[in-house]
């Protein structure tokens, strides 16, 4: 084989290897068509949504369908999410790079919580304040509450009228630790665990950071837990 042919052959193999490596490392779809790449991406990415998912793909660009492409890479554009009316991007990696955006409609058949009565600001939600209703979650805000446990015991930020879908952004978690409260400080580290008392310097919900002043006057920060407990890890 002449040297020039060997160089060309080696370059082609190297290019093919780069495409295969990219496909293995970034979830590139190796389908034979643009439609198959989009369908496979949506099928995998919507598996964790809270309900039975169906989706429809908008009209695909005719020129993109006919263009030569050996490796597709679907992706979710920045600021988008797989919920309701959205957009999926697709990159062609070889032989020539190009990118298109495909309109998608995602429907999610499931149940969500609706307010059974007027909820006032500062009200703590109980089981009788809401009820479950079935519908298309994809037509509702992504923050809609789908599990009763996500709502019970939380406080309403602002008034919510009866018959409205309940959203997580309308609720706040109860304080696990309140400013001025005596708390139990649990400090742990490599080979030791110590408990002592302190006073909370701020309000904090479960999982938020609370500052505590110890009996010696030292101020430490830890993670607030229900029951007036603050965990400090060294």
């Amino acid at each position: 084989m002449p040297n020039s042919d060997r160089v060309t052959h080696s370059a082609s193999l190297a290019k093919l290897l780069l495409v295969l490596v990219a496909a293995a490392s970034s979830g590139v779809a190796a389908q034979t068509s643009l439609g198959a790449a989009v369908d496979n991406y949506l099928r995998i990415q919507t598996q964790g949504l809270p309900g039975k998912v169906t989706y429809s793909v908008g009209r695909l660009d005719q020129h993109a369908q006919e263009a030569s492409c050996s490796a597709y890479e679907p992706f979710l554009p920045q600021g988008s999410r797989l919920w309701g009316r959205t957009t999926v991007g697709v990159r062609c990696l070889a032989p020539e790079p190009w990118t298109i955006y495909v309109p998608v409609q995602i429907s999610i058949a499931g149940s969500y919580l609706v307010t059974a009565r007027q909820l006032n600001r500062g009200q703590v939600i109980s089981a009788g304040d809401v009820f479950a209703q079935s519908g298309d979650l994809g037509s509702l805000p992504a923050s809609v509450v789908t599990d009763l446990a996500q709502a019970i015991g939380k406080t309403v930020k602002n008034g919510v009228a009866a018959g409205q879908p309940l959203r997580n952004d309308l609720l706040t978690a109860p304080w696990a630790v309140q400013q001025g409260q005596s708390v139990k400080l649990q400090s742990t580290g490599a080979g030791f665990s110590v408990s002592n008392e302190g006073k909370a310097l701020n309000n904090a919900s479960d999982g938020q950071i609370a500052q505590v002043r110890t009996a010696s006057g030292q101020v430490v920060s830890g993670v607030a837990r229900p029951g007036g407990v603050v965990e400090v890890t060294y």
Side-chain angles (χ1 to χ4, degrees), residues 143-163:
S143 60
V144 67
V145 180
T146 58
D147 186 348
L148 186 61
Q150 297 173 351
I152 298 299
K154 291 189 176 179
T155 302
V156 180
K157 289 183 182 178
N158 297 295
V160 184

Side-chain angles (χ1 to χ4, degrees), residues 10-115:
S10 297
S12 297
L13 287 177
K15 186 175 182 179
L16 177 59
L17 181 60
L18 287 174
V19 170
L20 292 175
V21 170
S25 61
S26 61
V28 173
Q31 284 77 14
T32 57
S33 72
L34 173 61
V38 174
D39 181 74
N40 186 62
Y41 176 79
L42 290 172
R43 179 178 55 80
I44 294 173
Q45 296 298 320
T46 59
Q47 287 179 355
L49 294 179
K52 182 179 180 181
V53 178
T54 58
Y55 53 81
S56 59
V57 179
R59 185 175 180 179
L60 298 175
D61 183 271
Q62 187 65 32
H63 296 293
Q65 291 190 76
E66 295 174 354
S68 175
C69 185
S70 58
Y72 296 101
E73 183 184 38
F75 65 95
L76 195 63
Q78 185 174 5
S80 299
R81 60 182 304 165
L82 294 176
W83 192 280
R85 190 181 300 275
T86 188
T87 300
V88 171
V90 182
R91 299 185 188 95
C92 176
L93 302 182
E96 297 295 334
W98 47 261
T99 301
I100 65 165
Y101 296 90
V102 180
V104 174
Q105 178 69 45
I106 297 176
S107 298
I108 310 162
S111 62
Y112 57 96
L113 297 188
V114 176
T115 54

